[in-house]
Amino acid sequence: MLVAGCAGGGDDENGGAADERPSFDPDEDERVDTALIQPTTDNPTNWQYNIYNPSQEFGHEMNNDQFVWYHMERDEFTWRLIDIAEYEDDHALVDLADDRYWHSDGENVDAEDLRTKLILEDIMSGDLGAVFEDVSISGDHQVEMDLAGTINPEVFDTSWTNMWLDTRADQYDQFVERWEDGESIDDIRPDLENYELDEIEGHGPFEAVNVTDNLFEMELVEDHPDADQINFTRWEIHRVGSDTGEVLMGNEVDTIRNFTAEDAVLDNRPDDLTVGHLPAMWGMALPFNLDHEHVGNVRVRQALAEFIDREGVASSYGPYGEAVEAPSGLVGNIDGENNPSDAWTDWITDEGADALHRYDDVERGRDLLREEGYSRDDEQWYTPDDEEFELTITMPADTTDWHPVYQTVEGQLRQEGINADVEAVDDTVYWSDYYLDGDYDLASTGWTLQNSYPYFTFRMYYIIDAQYLNLDTDDVVAPPIGEPDGDLESVDVVGLLEELQTTQDEAESVELIEEIAWVTNQYLPMLPLTEINDTVWFWEDEWWVPDPVEESETYQSKWPLWQFPRTGNLRAR
């Protein structure tokens, strides 16, 4: 069970006061005329609003509504914007709420908007797009999905999580028409990724009203269904400095959705600065460019994995991260008290867990490199061409809590005799020009899409991020299960994923997860380093939120900052 608890510090070890929720009756009480303030380091006027364009894209989670909430402690789905009216065999009927309206003109959000979202997810090879072959409108607020076989129910339900209906149909009709005409999604995708929207659209409880160089301002939509729970009038994003700890401790903002603080913040946090934890279901990874002259070789990747001490890497991240025990794409390496966990083994059999290689043998790493023609002289590694072995690790400059992780990897590789260098690149270009373009030696990213079910992590590696890793699924190889030094054999990993996507049999699911985990453990398209707990921060001098200790359960769904206002769990004092 992936459940996170509270942080240390403050009167009750999490800060905040044990007081009651401020009451609010929208028919009798006047709202507090104030704004909840979030930070950004960007200039908001540089944002564009096509969320599928990786260049300066922006969408706000209070400006649109989420399809479903997943509660991690209860393993429970709460359908919010949609309801699954029918799900059997190879088709599903999905009902859309009929009480949402687009901010710009008051038009009703309808089935055409939902169908558009599904088609765009297919164009982008998203998880949701993978579960259906066709989608049609069967009512004003209902779509019918012709599924890609009898979909594994766990896969179908989870495909809707962590997603918002943020694509109005008439803004994307050109791409839908091309999809309907049967054009290859590989041809449509680049145009969708380059498409820019200058005007933000939404149907959520807050509407964008003002954008300047330093401010993104939204106002409450009083006729939104969730507005009855919200007792304040505005939501603002302020442009701040890059030192997040300083911004937080200086009370420049009211909340941060997720921030791993340095010791100076943790040790000096005042009582009314509250922090709550929830399972992140992800952590930092070291992606490999599989076209690279060195790390394109699977045995070289394995050697590097042997040299990297993941325990040391996790320690550098701070108290809210733990090392990944057996890099394989299985979530569950950290518990709610920020201690190591073996919950990742629950996905597979004991034998399958024991078989996974741990990558903690430096001498094996050296043997692997020598077998591939590399040599070591005077504690310096040389390539088969007798040149010093050099690698660059590229990371986003503004994501400062990641930096110690990759700097530690750099130091460990240097200690082994590999000339590793960290290159920090501005966030505005890191994703579009480096990681998403597959232009790096070693990069930095998360190793899951923040879903616990292993299918989604495997699909991230071999389908969604394959182009960023320069991964050709025809080239995937692995030795026989349990024999890391055995002969490499070709593996149809896409076929295995398709079987996992469609199986209805739990035992078969475990068997398939076990097999793909082994392949991932050996092929290493990226090296999972740490698994973390997310930390959400609230200043309670002017705001009330549930106590993270007494009401820990309220924090166990992604994400408290977006759900609390909608449920009356974030109130202005």
Side-chain angles (χ1 to χ4, degrees), residues 3-7 275-279 335-338 533 548-549 552 555-556:
V3 181
C6 64
V275 57
H277 287 171
L278 65 155
D335 69 10
E337 302 301 321
N338 299 304
N533 280 332
V549 177
S552 173
Y555 286 80
Q556 304 309 311

Side-chain angles (χ1 to χ4, degrees), residues 31-38 60 62 205-207 209-210 215-222 230-238 254-255 542-543 565 570 572:
R31 289 184 172 88
V32 181
D33 186 17
T34 191
L36 185 80
I37 299 173
Q38 277 185 269
H60 198 277
M62 297 303 293
F206 284 87
E207 175 184 3
V209 295
N210 185 33
L215 171 69
F216 182 91
E217 182 181 10
M218 297 188 292
E219 290 182 351
L220 180 68
V221 179
E222 294 190 8
I230 301 172
N231 78 332
F232 57 98
T233 58
R234 300 186 313 284
W235 194 296
E236 296 178 357
I237 303 176
H238 289 194
D254 298 311
T255 182
E542 298 179 0
W543 301 91
L570 191 158

Side-chain angles (χ1 to χ4, degrees), residues 145-211:
M145 302 172 68
D146 295 330
L147 303 179
T150 53
I151 300 298
N152 180 335
E154 188 91 31
V155 170
F156 183 80
D157 288 349
T158 308
S159 294
W160 294 91
T161 60
N162 303 337
M163 293 188 63
W164 282 253
L165 180 51
D166 47 15
T167 50
R168 184 169 179 169
D170 59 13
Q171 292 182 319
Y172 292 89
D173 51 6
Q174 60 178 301
F175 305 105
V176 172
E177 290 172 5
R178 291 169 64 181
W179 183 89
E180 291 172 334
D181 290 341
E183 187 174 344
S184 168
I185 62 173
D186 292 334
D187 293 334
I188 306 173
R189 186 184 302 118
D191 294 334
L192 176 56
E193 290 177 327
N194 288 318
Y195 176 58
E196 292 191 0
L197 283 173
D198 296 327
E199 299 294 330
I200 190 168
E201 183 61 278
H203 55 80
F206 284 87
E207 175 184 3
V209 295
N210 185 33
V211 182

Side-chain angles (χ1 to χ4, degrees), residues 360-424:
D360 56 6
D361 186 345
V362 171
E363 286 304 322
R364 177 177 183 263
R366 292 170 179 168
D367 290 342
L368 287 171
L369 282 187
R370 291 188 180 103
E371 289 169 5
E372 298 303 313
Y374 294 75
S375 59
R376 192 170 191 249
D377 181 48
D378 196 22
E379 299 187 346
Q380 169 68 51
W381 278 102
Y382 293 87
T383 70
D385 296 328
D386 293 326
E387 297 178 352
E388 291 188 357
F389 190 5
E390 299 178 347
L391 293 170
T392 299
I393 305 169
T394 308
M395 65 180 182
D398 293 342
T399 313
T400 54
D401 56 338
W402 289 16
H403 292 184
V405 167
Y406 297 101
Q407 289 163 348
T408 300
V409 171
E410 172 195 42
Q412 291 174 350
L413 293 179
R414 280 187 164 275
Q415 185 175 8
E416 175 56 29
I418 296 170
N419 297 345
D421 287 297
V422 166
E423 177 186 24

Side-chain angles (χ1 to χ4, degrees), residues 481-496:
I481 292 179
E483 302 177 25
D485 295 315
D487 292 338
L488 298 174
E489 302 170 353
S490 180
V491 179
D492 180 12
V493 70
V494 173
L496 293 172

Side-chain angles (χ1 to χ4, degrees), residues 263-285:
D263 289 341
V265 173
L266 299 175
D267 294 342
N268 296 287
R269 177 166 54 88
D271 292 343
D272 53 359
L273 179 55
T274 292
V275 57
H277 287 171
L278 65 155
M281 297 190 291
W282 73 286
M284 274 61 75

Side-chain angles (χ1 to χ4, degrees), residues 28-49:
E28 298 182 5
D29 299 328
E30 187 173 340
R31 289 184 172 88
V32 181
D33 186 17
T34 191
L36 185 80
I37 299 173
Q38 277 185 269
T40 182
T41 57
D42 295 342
N43 178 339
T45 62
N46 291 334
W47 290 336
Q48 60 80 32
Y49 303 106

